[in-house]
Amino acid sequence: MNWRAVQAIVRKDLKVVFQNKGVLIPIIVVPVVILMALPGLAALAPMLQDMPGTPFAGMDSFIQDMPAGLREALAGYDEVQTTVVLALVYFLAPMYLILPLMVASVIAADSFAGEKERKTLEALLYTPTTDWELFLAKLLSAWLPALGVAWGGFLLYAVMSNLAAWPVMGRLFFPTTMWLVLALWVAPAVAGLGLGTTVLISSRAQTFQEAYQLGGVVVLPIILLVVAQATGVMYFSTWLVALLGLVFWAIDALLLWVGRRTFRRSKLATQM
């Protein structure tokens, strides 16, 4: 394995990412909205309590329709605290997974399709690397930034959640064990799912936009998780999150195996 050549490709790709506004803007805007703006809404919860009427009147019946494990986890909280915990700990958990998936997909879409648009693909194909080393370098170029955003975003979300909810909770309540498993175990696997799929698509697409649009289908499993939890079909417990991570890592391994067997720079050369 020529790690020096792999590292050179990764450094070059990361430099391109930070100079490309079309890639950089989504990486910045989406995390800011999810990790800062949404937790900030928790600060509005006490205001709802003071509004005329009963804003939390249906909360008890809503909780009763939730799985038993979630009802136990929320036991002991008052109505306002229950609303805050539901929103910040549970409902936004699957949305957090969109971040590493989105970052990995955006960068991976630019991996080969972007090289074709910039007319730099030919020089890339002549680098002193094997097909596997080139494919691995492109994977790492997308996976490492996605991991940085996921873990940095987790720390930011923890700070924002505790600050915004302090008037309601009166203590530090975040992160929970489930969120630690989500950030350290599941988020890297979700990033691998996004980049593994999108790199394979990017190697066949002609433009960045085409690769990004086709690779967007990988967000559907995360959307399903958001809907399932919001409707009470399931909830993100520690064991469920650990199991989801195992499933995603297994899919990653399959995508890596397929990519190693099917990726050939000779095919890329015919598409230039």
Side-chain angles (χ1 to χ4, degrees):
M1 178 69 72
N2 187 351
W3 285 109
R4 177 174 293 182
V6 170
Q7 291 172 5
I9 295 173
V10 171
R11 285 195 298 268
K12 186 267 297 180
D13 283 356
L14 292 180
K15 182 178 179 181
V16 170
V17 166
F18 291 113
Q19 293 176 345
N20 189 337
K21 293 182 179 179
V23 176
L24 194 59
I25 290 176
I27 294 176
I28 296 175
V29 173
V30 176
V32 167
V33 171
I34 293 179
L35 301 175
M36 297 187 68
L38 294 181
L41 295 177
L44 301 178
M47 301 179 188
L48 295 177
Q49 191 177 28
D50 297 331
M51 290 175 59
T54 53
F56 301 101
M59 183 59 65
D60 289 339
S61 60
F62 178 73
I63 295 299
Q64 291 303 316
D65 293 333
M66 289 291 185
L70 181 57
R71 294 199 303 269
E72 294 177 4
L74 296 173
Y77 292 122
D78 61 31
E79 291 176 333
V80 181
Q81 291 174 334
T82 297
T83 302
V84 170
V85 172
L86 273 176
L88 297 184
V89 176
Y90 294 100
F91 289 165
L92 289 182
M95 292 187 66
Y96 164 76
L97 295 178
I98 293 176
L99 298 182
L101 182 64
M102 182 271 299
V103 172
S105 297
V106 169
I107 298 177
D110 190 61
S111 59
F112 292 108
E115 299 277 5
K116 296 172 187 176
E117 286 187 296
R118 294 187 294 270
K119 308 299 181 183
T120 57
L121 181 59
E122 184 176 4
L124 177 67
L125 297 180
Y126 283 107
T127 55
T129 57
T130 64
D131 290 344
W132 165 240
E133 290 168 348
L134 179 57
F135 184 71
L136 179 61
K138 287 297 186 179
L139 291 179
L140 290 175
S141 297
W143 190 68
L144 293 176
L147 206 59
V149 170
W151 288 350
F154 169 69
L155 294 176
L156 177 62
Y157 185 78
V159 172
M160 289 299 300
S161 295
N162 283 307
L163 286 176
W166 184 268
V168 174
M169 304 301 296
R171 62 181 178 85
L172 298 178
F173 73 102
F174 193 94
T176 63
T177 303
M178 180 271 288
W179 263 89
L180 290 173
V181 176
L182 189 73
L184 299 178
W185 171 245
V186 183
V190 170
L193 174 65
L195 69 92
T197 303
T198 311
V199 163
L200 290 175
I201 293 174
S202 180
S203 64
R204 292 162 175 78
Q206 294 299 318
T207 65
F208 166 75
Q209 289 298 332
E210 179 185 355
Y212 183 58
Q213 290 171 2
L214 292 174
V217 298
V218 298
V219 78
L220 291 179
I222 306 302
I223 298 300
L224 291 176
L225 291 176
V226 173
V227 173
Q229 182 158 254
T231 56
V233 175
M234 49 156 279
Y235 81 103
F236 269 34
S237 65
T238 301
W239 289 109
L240 176 62
V241 167
L243 180 60
L244 283 175
L246 186 63
V247 171
F248 285 133
W249 279 116
I251 297 174
D252 291 347
L254 177 62
L255 289 172
L256 190 64
W257 179 79
V258 171
R260 184 167 188 171
R261 288 180 61 88
T262 61
F263 178 79
R264 296 292 182 271
R265 69 178 68 201
S266 58
K267 294 181 181 179
L268 288 174
T270 63
Q271 299 174 7
M272 291 190 300

